[in-house]
Amino acid sequence: VGELDMVTGDKLVEIINALDLEGIRSLTFSLGELDFIDSTGVGHLLGCYKRCKAQDIWFHIENDNPDIEEILQLIGIRELIKSQ
């Protein structure tokens, strides 16, 4: 809920880094209630994706916000995640 940007992105990384991912098979991010995402927020999502991929965890972004989805499509995150 809210924004995923330079201000809030560090909190996301902090939370993800604190998770014990041992035995986790998938991780889903729900962005449907996000109002805004900037390049820093996208970078943090990509960092989470890379961590998941390195640990063989399926990474998924769930989103029904057309504005946020357009950004994800334009920068190629959807294609990157499909290739996992």
Side-chain angles (χ1 to χ4, degrees):
V1 175
E3 301 178 353
L4 182 54
D5 56 16
M6 187 168 56
V7 175
T8 60
D10 290 339
K11 185 67 175 171
L12 172 67
V13 171
E14 182 182 314
I15 290 168
I16 296 301
N17 287 341
L19 289 176
D20 178 9
L21 298 178
E22 182 75 28
I24 300 295
R25 295 177 164 242
S26 69
L27 190 60
T28 300
F29 286 85
S30 179
L31 305 182
E33 294 186 45
L34 212 67
D35 297 319
F36 176 80
I37 188 168
D38 70 3
S39 60
T40 304
V42 170
H44 288 311
L45 282 178
L46 286 174
C48 292
Y49 165 74
K50 289 177 183 178
R51 180 175 176 201
C52 287
K53 187 171 181 173
Q55 294 180 302
D56 201 27
I57 297 170
W58 184 75
F59 180 90
H60 178 69
I61 295 175
E62 187 177 273
N63 177 46
D64 61 359
N65 180 324
D67 295 329
I68 300 297
E69 190 60 32
E70 181 179 10
I71 293 167
L72 298 178
Q73 292 286 345
L74 284 172
I75 60 173
I77 284 193
R78 290 296 187 193
E79 284 301 314
L80 176 70
I81 293 171
K82 277 187 203 176
S83 68
Q84 72 172 339

